[in-house]
Amino acid sequence: MPLESKANGEDIRESFPQPMEIIYTCTRGFFTRKQLFKRLPILQWLPSYTLQYLVDDIVAGLSVALTVIPQGIAYAAIANLDPQYGLYSAFMGCFIYCIVGSCKDVTIGPTAIMSLMINAHVGNSGPEFAILSAFVTGCVVLLLGILNLGFLVQFISFPVTVGFTSAAAITIASGQVKSLIGISGQSNEFLDSWINVFQHVQDIRLWDSVLGVSTIIVLLILMQMKNLKGNIFWRMFGKYVALSRNAIAVLTGAFLAYSLSDIGNSHPFLLTGNVTPGLPPIQLPPFSTTIGEQSYSFSEMIAKLGTSIITLPLIAVLESVAIAKAFSKGKPIDATQEMIALGISNIAGSFVSSMPVTGSFTRSAVNNNSGVRTQLGGITTGIVVLVALGLLTKTFYYIPKASLAGVIIAAMLFMVEFQAAAEIWRTKRIDFIPMMCTMVACLLLGLEYGMIVGIGINVCIVLYQISRPSIETMPLTIDGICVLVAQPDQNLMYSSAEYLKHQLLKQADKHQCQFIVLDGLHINSVDTTVAKALVSMTHDLEHSDRKIVYWKWNRSVQCTLLRMDRTLFQKTFRHEESIDVIIKELIAQQTPTRSAV
């Protein structure tokens, strides 16, 4: 029986205690059929699924799998985790997003930026911390989605995002140089990576360097295969070679390493090593752990994760929603649903030893270019990853680290936002400041602190612009008396109060104006500080035998000022269409007073 139905003429809800009433109010529309279809998008596209879609989805899923397997291994290396953790993440992300994801092109899994941020916090603490960070990230993102708090990412402006992404790409590429040239080292930070390279320059391995550089060159060449001309066969051939370039490069490197090891019974390249075979274990996330002789409780693990419990969810949401919008092709994107899908993917992934995941632009582009029709393509990708975990782990052993480093560096070359930086410089040069400050701070201080610095500088610029409104002034002469007409171009906030007062008094003194008309056409709100400043300015002008008129201010702003000082403002608000009428009336009011004097 619905809650709204009557029992003995009374509303059933009237008998509820207050907490139950609150729960009912918050959730009464949550379990409706409309909400069910909205929160489980698979219920929308699955009933109309056709066999033709299946073929396209399988092809797209295979293409994505050939990209995600080498990337998963490589990104696990960036996070300082064993390769299987990257594959576990890719497998679960693909499966869960198929059910709750709203954009057919988006693929969820490990990404370079997330891996680098994981390494900064848990890279030397064992996989338990990475798995727990996936669980915490999922909980935070899911909570943000349920509470519709996705607007928080809007405080991260485009210039800050460009600076952050470019710095992350440079940092990631710098961290892979050591593997590219075959030297030892643990840090993936920008400065530490290059210091390590110069300190071990004498340890550079020739064959690793040759293989790594060759991998980058081959990948850049294979990428151009998508532009191959000719009949449809050659165009399709070039397209799928370009899409599979990462798998081709990695498998070629593995075959080369295996062949050379058989010849000389030695390995000329540093190899990935053993990958744990089989399906990922299904178990609770580690809420406590022991590393060496030290035990960590849940609270101690959270404390060790530090600021990553905030920054990881924000970056995950920013990446995933931005990718969904990029591939939506004009269709509206439900940001809340994307956040819910991302949160559930991370929480479910933590039960199969996944590290934090988010949307991947590279793999989403591969998915889109492969002609995916529905989210079912993710199932194909997940199945291929599972098969690889079960059957190909011995092959993964022979993957050279230099090949993986080449794959990552080649991908990072296109993540540095040169074109976006040029657009920012061309459009509004002041936005270049937060972009450059974000990038430099990310490189020198780390990604999280760099993001905070960038947001802080951006907010300071916005606050400065708010506190310095543009005030258009125009001196007029009416009946031989100077009148200054001033019109601010935006609302007045507390930070602009003294600036407005100073500018009006300055311009009035400059033109020797007896009357000031403050046009409120663009002013829709004022706060207490502004109201207090206007009171002070009005008194100052009266003491110097000048008058101010508040012209065409809207009702809500008038009410605010009247509550501050009704006697003062009640006689200064005017709404006549002509300024001449107002000024002549004021002059007429002053004339008898002056004659009497």
Side-chain angles (χ1 to χ4, degrees), residues 356-371:
V357 296
T358 186
S360 165
F361 189 87
T362 302
R363 297 192 294 275
S364 298
V366 170
N367 209 18
N368 178 268
N369 293 335
S370 301

Side-chain angles (χ1 to χ4, degrees), residues 53-336:
Y53 289 178
L54 181 62
V55 175
D56 292 338
D57 285 341
I58 290 176
V59 171
L62 287 171
S63 301
V64 174
L66 292 176
T67 302
V68 73
I69 291 173
Q71 283 190 345
I73 296 172
Y75 294 156
I78 292 177
N80 202 23
L81 298 171
D82 292 335
Q84 65 267 18
Y85 291 101
L87 299 179
Y88 294 164
S89 306
F91 145 72
M92 184 54 74
C94 292
F95 270 104
I96 297 299
Y97 191 82
C98 173
I99 300 172
V100 292
S102 62
C103 182
K104 65 181 178 62
D105 299 294
V106 173
T107 63
I108 299 293
T111 65
I113 294 177
M114 294 288 281
S115 298
L116 182 61
M117 296 181 71
I118 295 167
N119 178 274
H121 287 273
V122 301
N124 298 317
S125 302
E128 292 82 8
F129 284 89
I131 298 168
L132 181 63
S133 70
F135 178 78
V136 175
T137 296
C139 291
V140 173
V141 173
L142 183 60
L143 182 63
L144 292 176
I146 293 174
L147 298 179
N148 288 314
L149 295 178
F151 71 90
L152 292 174
V153 300
Q154 296 174 4
F155 287 95
I156 306 176
S157 67
F158 178 66
V160 172
T161 303
V162 169
F164 174 83
T165 304
S166 300
I170 294 171
T171 302
I172 292 165
S174 300
Q176 293 304 304
V177 171
K178 62 180 183 293
S179 297
L180 188 79
I181 58 180
I183 62 176
S184 60
Q186 291 295 324
S187 177
N188 283 315
E189 297 296 329
F190 174 73
L191 288 179
D192 293 341
S193 296
W194 286 107
I195 291 172
N196 179 69
V197 168
F198 288 113
Q199 286 178 342
H200 295 85
V201 67
Q202 70 279 1
D203 299 327
I204 293 177
R205 294 167 58 96
L206 175 61
W207 293 114
D208 283 284
S209 302
V210 170
L211 179 62
V213 174
S214 299
T215 299
I216 296 175
I217 295 172
V218 168
L219 286 170
L220 296 178
I221 294 173
L222 292 180
M223 182 182 293
Q224 301 306 314
M225 293 287 287
K226 63 184 178 183
N227 301 320
L228 199 63
K229 305 296 181 182
N231 58 37
I232 189 170
F233 170 79
W234 287 110
R235 292 200 303 272
M236 293 298 292
F237 173 77
K239 173 184 176 181
Y240 286 106
V241 167
L243 291 174
S244 308
R245 62 185 182 274
N246 289 336
I248 293 172
V250 170
L251 291 176
T252 301
F255 175 76
L256 189 61
Y258 177 78
S259 301
L260 294 177
S261 66
D262 274 356
I263 294 174
N265 200 25
S266 63
H267 299 297
F269 311 116
L270 296 177
L271 303 179
T272 298
N274 292 318
V275 178
T276 304
L279 301 179
I282 300 177
Q283 56 192 9
L284 287 173
F287 296 118
S288 63
T289 188
T290 301
I291 300 177
E293 297 181 354
Q294 185 173 1
S295 298
Y296 292 89
S297 64
F298 177 73
S299 59
E300 290 172 336
M301 293 179 74
I302 293 295
K304 190 169 178 62
L305 291 177
T307 57
S308 69
I309 63 176
I310 300 299
T311 53
L312 276 173
L314 288 179
I315 298 304
V317 170
L318 181 67
E319 282 195 86
S320 193
V321 174
I323 291 169
K325 288 181 178 179
F327 290 99
S328 65
K329 297 180 180 179
K331 296 180 181 179
I333 286 294
D334 187 349
T336 296

Side-chain angles (χ1 to χ4, degrees), residues 227-483:
N227 301 320
L228 199 63
K229 305 296 181 182
N231 58 37
I232 189 170
F233 170 79
W234 287 110
R235 292 200 303 272
M236 293 298 292
F237 173 77
K239 173 184 176 181
Y240 286 106
V241 167
L243 291 174
S244 308
R245 62 185 182 274
N246 289 336
I248 293 172
V250 170
L251 291 176
T252 301
F255 175 76
L256 189 61
Y258 177 78
S259 301
L260 294 177
S261 66
D262 274 356
I263 294 174
N265 200 25
S266 63
H267 299 297
F269 311 116
L270 296 177
L271 303 179
T272 298
N274 292 318
V275 178
T276 304
L279 301 179
I282 300 177
Q283 56 192 9
L284 287 173
F287 296 118
S288 63
T289 188
T290 301
I291 300 177
E293 297 181 354
Q294 185 173 1
S295 298
Y296 292 89
S297 64
F298 177 73
S299 59
E300 290 172 336
M301 293 179 74
I302 293 295
K304 190 169 178 62
L305 291 177
T307 57
S308 69
I309 63 176
I310 300 299
T311 53
L312 276 173
L314 288 179
I315 298 304
V317 170
L318 181 67
E319 282 195 86
S320 193
V321 174
I323 291 169
K325 288 181 178 179
F327 290 99
S328 65
K329 297 180 180 179
K331 296 180 181 179
I333 286 294
D334 187 349
T336 296
Q337 181 59 29
E338 285 300 301
M339 293 168 68
I340 291 174
L342 184 61
I344 294 175
S345 296
N346 276 281
I347 293 173
S350 68
F351 285 81
V352 292
S353 303
S354 166
M355 60 186 192
V357 296
T358 186
S360 165
F361 189 87
T362 302
R363 297 192 294 275
S364 298
V366 170
N367 209 18
N368 178 268
N369 293 335
S370 301
V372 70
R373 302 298 292 269
T374 69
Q375 291 89 318
L376 194 67
I379 296 292
T380 304
T381 301
I383 291 173
V384 174
V385 173
L386 282 181
V387 171
L389 278 167
L391 303 178
L392 300 179
T393 51
K394 292 183 178 179
T395 303
F396 295 157
Y397 175 89
Y398 289 97
I399 296 176
K401 291 184 177 180
S403 293
L404 293 177
V407 168
I408 295 171
I409 293 174
M412 295 305 105
L413 292 176
F414 298 94
M415 280 185 61
V416 180
E417 305 268 13
F418 295 109
Q419 183 177 353
E423 289 176 352
I424 292 171
W425 178 261
R426 184 173 64 250
T427 306
K428 193 169 185 180
R429 293 184 179 179
I430 193 172
D431 288 338
F432 206 74
I433 296 174
M435 188 205 78
M436 289 302 300
C437 290
T438 301
M439 187 164 70
V440 172
C442 285
L443 292 175
L444 300 182
L445 303 177
L447 295 181
E448 290 152 333
Y449 295 111
M451 176 69 79
I452 294 172
V453 168
I455 294 173
I457 291 175
N458 222 156
V459 169
C460 288
I461 291 175
V462 172
L463 290 177
Y464 178 82
Q465 292 172 340
I466 292 174
S467 65
R468 294 294 185 269
S470 175
I471 304 173
E472 183 179 348
T473 58
M474 181 175 61
L476 303 174
T477 301
I478 301 176
D479 287 354
I481 296 177
C482 179
V483 179

Side-chain angles (χ1 to χ4, degrees), residues 543-555:
H543 291 157
S544 60
D545 199 24
R546 295 173 179 173
K547 293 289 184 181
I548 185 169
V549 176
Y550 296 95
W551 186 42
K552 292 185 177 180
W553 287 52
N554 71 34
R555 184 176 179 82

Side-chain angles (χ1 to χ4, degrees), residues 466-473 484 486-507 516 518-519 523 526 529-531 533-534 537 548 550 553:
I466 292 174
S467 65
R468 294 294 185 269
S470 175
I471 304 173
E472 183 179 348
T473 58
L484 180 69
Q487 185 186 74
D489 68 342
Q490 63 185 35
N491 291 330
L492 300 177
M493 306 298 291
Y494 67 92
S495 57
S496 62
E498 288 302 320
Y499 175 78
L500 174 69
K501 176 182 174 181
H502 173 75
Q503 289 297 314
L504 289 181
L505 294 177
K506 178 182 176 181
Q507 292 297 320
I516 298 174
L518 188 56
D519 187 347
I523 301 174
V526 296
T529 307
V530 173
L534 293 178
M537 180 176 67
I548 185 169
Y550 296 95
W553 287 52

